[in-house]
Every structure is written in C-alpha cells, then in structure tokens.
Amino acid sequence: MLIVFVALLSVVQTQTLTPERILETHYSDTSVMALSTDGRTLFLGVRDTIRVLDSETGEPITSLQHRYPVTSLAVSPEGHYLASGDTVGELKTWKLADYTLNADHTGHTGRINSLAFGPDGLLLSGSGDGTAKLWNVASDSPLARMTLPGDDGAVVTSVAITSDGKRAAVGDAQHNVWLWNVDAVERDTKPEREKHAQFILDNSNADYSADITTMTFSPDNTQLLFSSAAPFVIAWDLTKNTRVFDE
C-alpha cells in the first residue's frame, strides 16, 4: 500500500508542514508521481502504467499506458499537458482535458530520468543517453539537443527550465551542474552545444560527490536550487553567479 501525504506548502518561510490529508492507495510499486496544477489530480507511475487518481478521495479516474516502466512525470504550468518518460527513452505527452495521447516524442535512446515544463508548451527532458532535449508539445521532434561535454557514458539525472523558457539547468551523474542559454541553443544549427554551457558546480568538490537528483528555479528565475543523493541542497544566485547557501 502506498500512503500519499498531500500538503499545502509555503515557500515564503521555513516551517513545519502538517499533511492536509492522507491518501491510501493500493499501488505499492509506485516509482514516480506528480500533482496537477490545481491540486485535484494525482498521477502515479506504477510499472508501465500511469494511474490517474482524484487527490481528494483517492478514487481512480483513468489510466494511461506505456510499453515499459514509467520513470518520470511532469505537468505543464497551465495544466493542459502531462509528460511521461520510461526506461527505454520513450517520451509521451498527454492532453489532460480528455486524457488522450498528444504525441510520441522520439529521439532519446536511454532512460528518461527527468522532465520539466517551461512556458508555451516547452518541455525539457533529461536522459541516460547523455542528452537533454527541448521539445514543443505540438511536435514529435526535438527543437534542440544539449549534449553533455566530456566522455561517452554521461548520464543526465535532473533538468529544470525557467518560467520564461530562457534558461535550462542540467545535472548529471558525475555531480556536475550545467546552465544553458536556451535561446542560443535553439539558434545554433550545429550538433555540438557545449559552447552554450556554463558550469555552476563541477565534480572537483568531494563534498558533493553524488548524482544531482532534483533541481528547480525560483519563481523569479534568479536562483537555482538543486540537491543530491549525498545529501546536500545548494541555492545558486544566477544574477551574481555565486552560491547563496548549501546544507
């Protein structure tokens, strides 16, 4: 049995959070989950199926099917789309108005580890194939590819994109964090995108020697917060290119 704690979170100040409600489901093998923007719908990745539940009651609404186990989920900011990725690199977007398939987005050759939506249908995906790809939900082909510099075998473990869609952050399994200028990447027709990448954190610091697991931009897009399995949390000021804190 999976127990889901649904809480209302405040980002204004640190405080002790009390669950608003507790949902008990029968999906003990859930690997990933996402919540709709209005908080009314819960999406669970259960093996090769996305279970869609009413977050108030826990009652099932529908289910969406992959061919392989689901590894990542994301909901678009306006609440129109759900993105899902699986263990072999298949990426799908779904229309939440009627829970139908919007598109199959082909291009990744490895597990989808992370998904993040930007504005106007922009979607960023990070994969075990060493790339992050930028998509528009209206197209099945990527708008741009961001390849990790370095040796073959690089693995993208986490991605984030600013609310204005101008910057993308990518974390990898070698505990590096990269920042990309999305506008420059889209304009560049060459296959190599390294010149548009900026290091924020590299793997020379032994204190941070673990996969980057989660990252997000602040609402005003001036800070990037990221965490690792180490564990640690870092806030990076993008206006001054300095670390604000790490814990």
Side-chain angles (χ1 to χ4, degrees), residues 57-221:
T57 64
E59 291 298 313
I61 298 172
T62 189
S63 62
L64 310 172
Q65 199 66 41
H66 267 257
R67 294 193 301 164
Y68 301 95
V70 177
T71 54
S72 189
L73 296 170
V75 178
S76 63
E78 77 289 344
H80 294 166
Y81 296 98
L82 172 73
S84 58
D86 65 25
T87 54
V88 300
E90 292 186 356
L91 173 59
K92 299 176 182 290
T93 51
W94 310 85
K95 298 176 183 178
L96 293 183
D98 55 7
Y99 298 110
T100 58
L101 181 67
N102 174 68
D104 283 300
H105 306 277
T106 57
H108 281 302
T109 58
R111 170 190 170 113
I112 306 294
N113 291 320
S114 184
L115 295 167
F117 271 101
D120 303 321
L122 283 179
L123 173 65
L124 184 64
S125 57
S127 170
D129 63 14
T131 68
K133 296 183 186 295
L134 187 69
W135 314 79
N136 188 293
V137 293
S139 172
D140 59 0
S141 298
L143 300 173
R145 183 183 78 247
M146 291 168 272
T147 304
L148 288 180
D151 300 330
D152 292 339
V155 174
V156 176
T157 55
S158 187
V159 297
I161 188 168
T162 55
S163 59
D164 58 9
K166 293 182 178 180
R167 283 178 163 179
V170 175
D172 67 23
Q174 287 74 41
H175 44 279
N176 301 310
V177 176
W178 303 83
L179 190 67
W180 259 276
N181 181 326
V182 172
D183 291 336
V185 170
E186 288 187 288
R187 288 195 304 268
D188 192 349
T189 58
K190 297 179 181 179
E192 300 301 327
R193 316 289 179 162
E194 286 88 339
K195 61 186 177 182
H196 302 304
Q198 170 195 345
F199 258 135
I200 291 181
L201 179 75
D202 64 38
N203 57 18
S204 62
N205 191 327
D207 293 337
Y208 306 131
S209 55
D211 296 2
I212 303 299
T213 56
T214 307
M215 53 176 52
T216 187
F217 287 95
S218 62
D220 62 2
N221 298 323

Side-chain angles (χ1 to χ4, degrees), residues 15-35:
Q15 57 182 298
T16 301
L17 300 175
T18 301
E20 182 186 75
R21 55 190 176 276
I22 299 174
L23 301 179
E24 293 187 5
T25 79
H26 300 287
Y27 307 118
S28 59
D29 46 0
T30 298
S31 57
V32 289
M33 65 178 66
L35 193 65

